[in-house]
Amino acid sequence: RSMPSVKELRARARVDVGMFQSEFGPVALIQQPPERVFQKVAQQMGRSQTVFMAHRSRLTDRLLSMLQGFEHLQVLFLRPESEGQVFAVGRLETSSLVVHDPSVSKFHALLRWSAADDTCYVRDSGSMNGTYINSVQLGAEEQQLWDGDAVAFGDAQFLYVSTQTLHAHLSAAVPSAAR
């Protein structure tokens, strides 16, 4: 599975949101940089206080900082084809979301698509290092993901966003001369 970078997606964000969603699917996981790297870029952008695992209310600042400062970040789009489709997360190459990080188990977690809610639910698969949503470790129960949630599989961190939200921020970050 190809994971485009933020830089590669900028040019694609010039199309309308409907075309963007039909090409990439309803939701995305954006790889987050290590905290020290994020803090340094946030400070360079004039944001002295930045919470790494941000709450949804800070989604805009978090996304803009990430999209402006990290052209190389990889974006994984989930393209569910049916209600209840499950995506496996882990180090195995056969996983739907392959995460090459030693803290991620071979079979770490499951993401389940819910068309009724237009979102995914996540469940830890008994991983060694846990699955976290907004810094809170998941127990044995499946939990709904909301637009802007920070999701961590072990130490590998992602921002879960709707494709519509991603498109809006990519479009906002494109210089007006380039539009």
Side-chain angles (χ1 to χ4, degrees), residues 44-62:
Q44 289 170 353
M45 294 176 63
R47 292 176 173 85
S48 58
Q49 292 293 329
T50 305
V51 177
F52 182 58
M53 294 292 276
H55 186 270
R56 283 191 299 277
S57 64
R58 298 196 192 110
L59 171 64
T60 301
D61 281 348
R62 178 85 188 159

Side-chain angles (χ1 to χ4, degrees), residues 5-176:
S5 68
V6 168
K7 184 177 183 177
E8 293 166 336
L9 288 172
R10 277 198 210 288
R12 308 305 296 267
R14 292 190 185 111
V15 301
D16 72 64
V17 68
M19 290 177 65
F20 192 79
Q21 282 183 299
S22 67
E23 180 176 356
F24 293 111
V27 292
L29 287 166
I30 305 172
Q31 164 210 2
Q32 296 195 62
E35 183 174 3
R36 58 185 164 61
V37 174
F38 183 80
Q39 293 289 347
K40 184 176 179 182
V41 170
Q43 287 172 350
Q44 289 170 353
M45 294 176 63
R47 292 176 173 85
S48 58
Q49 292 293 329
T50 305
V51 177
F52 182 58
M53 294 292 276
H55 186 270
R56 283 191 299 277
S57 64
R58 298 196 192 110
L59 171 64
T60 301
D61 281 348
R62 178 85 188 159
L63 256 178
L64 287 175
S65 294
M66 285 178 64
L67 296 177
Q68 289 171 2
F70 299 98
E71 294 289 316
H72 63 281
L73 289 184
Q74 300 294 299
V75 180
L76 176 79
F77 291 97
L78 299 180
R79 296 180 181 96
E81 297 170 8
S82 61
E83 172 63 31
Q85 183 173 349
V86 175
F87 299 89
V89 179
R91 281 195 340 263
L92 292 175
E93 291 298 324
T94 54
S95 299
S96 308
L97 171 56
V98 179
V99 183
H100 298 286
D101 185 291
S103 69
V104 175
S105 298
K106 289 179 183 175
F107 179 57
H108 197 98
L110 293 171
L111 294 171
R112 180 182 58 82
W113 173 249
S114 171
D117 299 330
D118 206 28
T119 192
C120 284
Y121 288 76
V122 64
R123 178 187 302 268
D124 187 80
S125 300
S127 66
M128 289 290 292
N129 294 309
T131 301
Y132 298 80
I133 299 177
N134 299 321
S135 302
V136 177
Q137 187 168 7
L138 284 180
E141 297 298 312
E142 182 178 71
Q143 187 168 330
Q144 183 174 3
L145 290 172
W146 298 91
D147 196 14
D149 276 345
V151 181
F153 305 105
D155 294 333
Q157 303 191 33
F158 296 85
L159 190 64
Y160 175 87
V161 295
S162 74
T163 312
Q164 185 174 357
T165 298
L166 178 60
H167 179 270
H169 288 284
L170 285 169
S171 297
V174 173
S176 56

